[in-house]
Amino acid sequence: PNSALITMKAVVSTQSTGAKLCSDNDESSGINAEYGGGMPGGIYEGDLESPAAREAVKQALGEFKRRAEKSGKLGAGDSVVVGDVVDIKTQVVAGQKFIITIKMGVSSNCGDKAEQGFVSAKLCSDNVGTHKIEVISQPWMKVSYQFGDFEDVEGPELKSMWNSSK
């Protein structure tokens, strides 16, 4: 077999004129241009500045706060401490999955600095750790955001707040 054909990464996309075969660095492919290149289903670096990524982070933090409050583990005077987004990866699934790695925590000492239950880690560095949250954006659906796994990468344990009240 021709090793060049075996090793060539390819994307098959259907366009109005039929199927098209293109290499993974062919910018003419709608998949490559919109999702940063590569094969559908692969995980790729995301753009932290993109509106879709920013909205996914906002949705993830809002969902964390909602679940933590519902579980009773985030009290009225407590705040979700929000630090920097460390990394964001994307994956094309039935929608777009965002795998967000973020510095965050929960504090009962910074309520006076909080706005709507959130406070910047620059103002309150209590109990901040690194955590991963999966968010799937499906804008055509009635509920346009679905939430997947939550992982405590380093620092305080927050996963129980995420899992206790889905």
Side-chain angles (χ1 to χ4, degrees), residues 28-101:
S28 68
S29 166
I31 292 170
N32 291 333
E34 187 172 352
Y35 299 110
M39 299 293 286
I43 298 174
Y44 300 97
E45 287 299 320
D47 178 4
L48 293 170
E49 301 302 317
S50 79
R54 287 178 177 262
E55 184 62 22
V57 170
K58 179 181 164 187
Q59 292 290 327
L61 290 169
E63 182 68 7
F64 176 81
K65 182 176 176 270
R66 185 191 70 74
R67 289 181 184 202
E69 287 172 341
K70 191 172 179 186
S71 74
K73 295 181 180 183
L74 185 70
D78 296 342
S79 304
V80 176
V81 182
V82 181
D84 293 332
V85 174
V86 176
D87 185 49
I88 192 159
K89 303 239 187 291
T90 61
Q91 180 181 23
V92 179
V93 291
Q96 186 169 20
K97 179 191 274 185
F98 294 90
I99 304 163
I100 302 160
T101 306

Side-chain angles (χ1 to χ4, degrees), residues 114-129:
E115 290 184 32
Q116 297 180 335
F118 294 97
V119 64
S120 168
K122 292 175 184 168
L123 300 174
C124 178
S125 58
D126 286 6
N127 302 316
V128 174

